[in-house]
Amino acid sequence: MVVFGDGRRGVNPLAGFVIILVVVTIIALAFAGFGSEIISYYTGYVEKLRPVSALKVYANQFEIKVRNEGSVEERIDAVFVSGHRAYVYYARRLNGSSALIRGDEGRLVVIRPGETVIIRGFVPKVLVPDVVYEVKFHTITGYEFYYPVKAVKAPFETGIVGFNTGIKDPRDPSRRIVLFAPVIENIERTTIEVTRIEIYNSTSFESPVFTYVPPTLITVQPGEVYKPSSWREIIKVGLRPGTYYVRVDYRVGGSEDYLLSTAVVENRTLKAYVLYITVDDEGDPVIREPYPGWSVDIQRMIERVRRLADVRVIGSMSEYKSLILEGRGIEEPCIIINIHSEPVPLPLSYIDEGSKRVRWHEWFRKISSFISGHRVVWVNPSGYPFWGIANKRMARKYGYPTWTSNWGRMINERSLGSAYRDTGGATNLDGTSFQSAYNGEYGWGCCSSCPARGVTYNGFPVVTGGKGLYCARTWNYPITCTSLVEEFNEFFGDFGISLPEHTTGWDVPKVSSASKVYYETSSDVPIVYALKLGDGYLLVVGLPPGYTDLSVDMSIYLAVHIVLFEYELPSYQLP
């Protein structure tokens, strides 16, 4: 003790420090128990929570048994694993009754004196077996109990692979078609049967937004790992981007239980780039006038495309050239729609006024290189693909109405004047000019003598590297769908869209084989098909001019089918 000069008595500073330290320690122990009990000096109640099992872990999920060894009911409002707050979705007593309630502070785990409760939850990190984690239980009274607990591998693991296809749900374009694939590992000694899978919004766990009951039980034998063997075994649902809880109900050893996982639906949407040139900005003055199109209601098609994809219109010649020559600004995989259909807008630099030559074949090869070098699906919704070209500036200068209306100007008469038709016309695959004017003897380029004499009836073979030299000659022939259309209808039937089994076909470039055949004649001639060009695809839709509504839908739907089954599903290793 210290005596001050004025007679007052005080505490020695060193002793005072010890007293303060003891008081602080007592206060700390009153609010935090590390492997100890907490005693209320006012009521005499003892509060003690203690884990009575290892921390069973699987991915970012855990299970632990907690016993209330105190004399008062405990209400846990937070569980932490090495500092990471857990989302607790499951708490049951050993008799199977729920110990999870909703209070004013949120979800609470209620443990009565002498009870043991199984708690399950997940944290935003992967938990690894054989690692010691600090597990902390926080109660509504402010007390905390924390223990070092060793992690062990859980006997049953389940994970949900959720991915956004990017394709809009046509019933509600604000949603995306999302696929969920359960992956279940059984390291139990008994068989596990998955009975139900439910998807919940992260903001509410009251009722599911989607429930999936397998047509047959998903049975996982001891030591097996289950994952979908095809897209038919995955869950398809339309959801908005965000975080979702996925509950997996299962049955093991005669008892029913469930596990919960999270799945994030990323904010991604399939892109469709629509070539609809309305601004010719390659010279002065700028021409603001739509380029020609054939047999398609352009605005209607754009609206139809928006049901399944975000649309970006390539509206100027400068944007168009940048797309083909540089491939800039596109999000792959994607769809490219030449909404002009038969006519292909041709940049001014590919027209040589001095020699009176139109080097359309060079531009078509640029298009071919673009398709081959990107994960894109190129489609013309109507008419012959690459049949004609159009350039507004030259059309005005030389007074050629066929360059600005109808089909544009046909390939076999590409020149800047009739006096130059013999040298400016059709072009062979090697780029040399065939010295003959276009005339009726070739029957619009569809007779068998046409390729024999080295003339392509349109630009299709230039783009495809020699395929499609002949016409299929199927004017108004009945055509029937293949299994690929059936596959499309099976997948998208849940979303309210489909394609017919039978319709009428039109003349198209004839190919001996195609990467994907969607419709064909009774003699197996492909009429609606896709050709693989490098990393991309060229989709050909051969329907009569009067079938514009169907050709619009078919162009979009089948392009989406290619994106889904050739680009999206393989990226997630789902056949």
Side-chain angles (χ1 to χ4, degrees):
M1 177 178 291
V2 178
V3 180
F4 293 96
D6 59 2
R8 290 181 294 115
R9 295 171 180 262
V11 179
N12 184 289
L14 179 59
F17 174 76
V18 173
I19 293 172
I20 292 173
L21 180 62
V22 170
V23 171
V24 170
T25 302
I26 293 174
I27 292 174
L29 289 174
F31 286 91
F34 187 86
S36 63
E37 61 188 25
I38 297 174
I39 303 174
S40 171
Y41 293 99
Y42 296 100
T43 63
Y45 292 140
V46 177
E47 297 194 33
K48 184 176 183 180
L49 292 174
R50 185 171 68 89
V52 291
S53 75
L55 187 71
K56 297 179 181 179
V57 298
Y58 35 94
N60 66 331
Q61 300 190 58
F62 67 88
E63 176 184 294
I64 191 169
K65 291 181 180 179
V66 183
R67 182 174 176 80
N68 183 352
E69 296 183 346
S71 59
V72 65
E73 179 181 272
E74 295 290 355
R75 296 193 170 198
I76 301 172
D77 60 2
V79 177
F80 297 85
V81 179
S82 290
H84 297 280
R85 183 164 184 163
Y87 178 84
V88 174
Y89 65 86
Y90 178 102
R92 288 188 182 275
R93 301 179 182 90
L94 298 182
N95 63 9
S97 62
S98 176
L100 200 61
I101 67 170
R102 182 173 293 278
D104 295 337
E105 298 81 7
R107 299 164 68 85
L108 304 175
V109 178
V110 179
I111 311 179
R112 294 188 284 264
E115 284 187 339
T116 298
V117 170
I118 302 171
I119 296 176
R120 291 178 186 162
F122 49 82
V123 292
K125 65 170 293 184
V126 174
L127 301 174
V128 182
D130 299 323
V131 173
V132 176
Y133 293 97
E134 180 191 88
V135 180
K136 181 171 65 176
F137 307 100
H138 184 278
T139 68
I140 61 173
T141 56
Y143 295 138
E144 292 180 339
F145 302 86
Y146 47 94
Y147 298 84
V149 183
K150 185 177 181 179
V152 298
K153 189 173 183 179
F156 169 41
E157 295 188 9
T158 180
I160 298 293
V161 179
F163 53 95
N164 176 8
T165 65
I167 302 168
K168 294 181 180 180
D169 182 343
R171 302 166 303 180
D172 180 358
S174 69
R175 300 174 181 267
R176 305 293 176 266
I177 295 179
V178 180
L179 308 180
F180 290 101
V183 180
I184 302 166
E185 180 180 1
N186 182 5
I187 54 178
E188 277 275 16
R189 295 182 179 180
T190 56
T191 301
I192 293 172
E193 296 178 328
V194 176
T195 59
R196 178 188 301 263
I197 299 176
E198 294 179 331
I199 300 171
Y200 293 82
N201 195 303
S202 62
T203 60
S204 173
F205 200 61
E206 301 302 323
S207 59
V209 297
F210 185 81
T211 298
Y212 172 75
V213 178
T216 58
L217 289 178
I218 298 175
T219 302
V220 190
Q221 300 296 334
E224 286 187 346
V225 177
Y226 167 85
K227 61 180 180 180
S229 60
S230 79
W231 64 266
R232 291 179 173 86
E233 296 177 359
I234 60 179
I235 303 168
K236 310 187 301 288
V237 59
L239 294 174
R240 293 182 176 87
T243 302
Y244 293 86
Y245 299 134
V246 183
R247 169 174 166 163
V248 179
D249 286 51
Y250 65 93
R251 189 163 52 228
V252 58
S255 300
E256 294 188 352
D257 208 338
Y258 74 92
L259 289 173
L260 200 68
S261 183
T262 56
V264 177
V265 178
E266 59 182 332
N267 191 9
R268 183 176 70 90
T269 309
L270 174 65
K271 300 297 188 296
Y273 299 88
V274 176
L275 304 181
Y276 179 39
I277 308 301
T278 58
V279 177
D280 189 327
D281 53 358
E282 291 192 285
D284 189 25
V286 173
I287 299 175
R288 302 183 184 278
E289 180 181 319
Y291 267 57
W294 184 64
S295 296
V296 175
D297 183 330
I298 292 175
Q299 292 304 323
R300 179 184 182 280
M301 182 164 191
I302 290 176
E303 291 306 313
R304 299 289 287 181
V305 175
R306 286 197 174 109
R307 296 176 62 208
L308 295 172
D310 280 350
V311 173
R312 179 190 163 191
V313 176
I314 307 298
S316 69
M317 289 296 284
S318 58
E319 288 180 289
Y320 173 46
K321 288 192 298 182
S322 178
L323 173 71
I324 301 302
L325 298 178
E326 303 170 9
R328 291 183 180 177
I330 62 172
E331 296 181 30
E332 301 179 36
C334 62
I335 301 170
I336 309 290
I337 303 172
N338 176 21
I339 212 161
H340 302 285
S341 289
E342 286 196 340
V344 177
L346 182 72
L348 187 63
S349 56
Y350 290 84
I351 300 174
D352 187 345
E353 292 187 81
S355 62
K356 304 295 183 181
R357 294 296 303 277
V358 181
R359 301 191 308 274
W360 57 269
H361 57 283
E362 295 180 16
W363 181 244
F364 282 13
R365 286 175 182 148
K366 296 293 184 183
I367 293 176
S368 177
S369 296
F370 167 76
I371 297 172
S372 299
H374 298 273
R375 294 187 302 154
V376 302
V377 181
W378 181 293
V379 60
N380 295 24
S382 185
Y384 293 129
F386 304 102
W387 174 265
I389 60 170
N391 183 280
K392 285 284 184 180
R393 201 165 298 277
M394 288 296 100
R396 288 188 174 189
K397 184 173 182 178
Y398 287 86
Y400 294 139
T402 57
W403 282 40
T404 56
S405 63
N406 236 0
W407 304 291
R409 193 164 175 83
M410 289 176 290
I411 292 294
N412 282 8
E413 50 178 343
R414 290 298 177 274
S415 66
L416 296 178
S418 58
Y420 299 93
R421 286 181 63 181
D422 287 349
T423 58
T427 304
N428 296 326
L429 295 179
D430 62 3
T432 61
S433 176
F434 181 72
Q435 301 299 315
S436 177
Y438 170 85
N439 57 53
E441 78 174 272
Y442 298 138
W444 288 70
C446 293
C447 73
S448 60
S449 64
C450 182
R453 300 182 62 181
V455 180
T456 60
Y457 79 96
N458 60 17
F460 186 82
V462 177
V463 177
T464 60
K467 296 179 181 178
L469 293 173
Y470 294 86
C471 290
R473 301 183 65 83
T474 54
W475 309 88
N476 290 308
Y477 274 47
I479 57 176
T480 302
C481 76
T482 67
S483 60
L484 293 182
V485 175
E486 295 172 354
E487 181 179 68
F488 174 89
N489 290 342
E490 183 180 353
F491 186 97
F492 287 96
D494 294 339
F495 302 98
I497 59 176
S498 63
L499 289 169
E501 294 183 10
H502 306 279
T503 184
T504 300
W506 196 244
D507 198 32
V508 292
K510 185 177 181 180
V511 294
S512 57
S513 63
S515 304
K516 289 181 172 292
V517 178
Y518 291 101
Y519 287 87
E520 58 190 5
T521 66
S522 58
S523 55
D524 300 329
V525 176
I527 301 301
V528 180
Y529 58 86
L531 295 173
K532 184 167 175 55
L533 302 178
D535 293 334
Y537 284 84
L538 175 60
L539 176 61
V540 177
V541 178
L543 295 183
Y547 285 53
T548 54
D549 286 350
L550 180 57
S551 67
V552 164
D553 287 345
M554 194 175 288
S555 300
I556 302 165
Y557 294 172
L558 296 183
V560 166
H561 177 269
I562 295 172
V563 168
L564 178 63
F565 283 87
E566 294 302 320
Y567 298 131
E568 294 292 350
L569 291 181
S571 69
Y572 292 94
Q573 299 181 343
L574 286 174

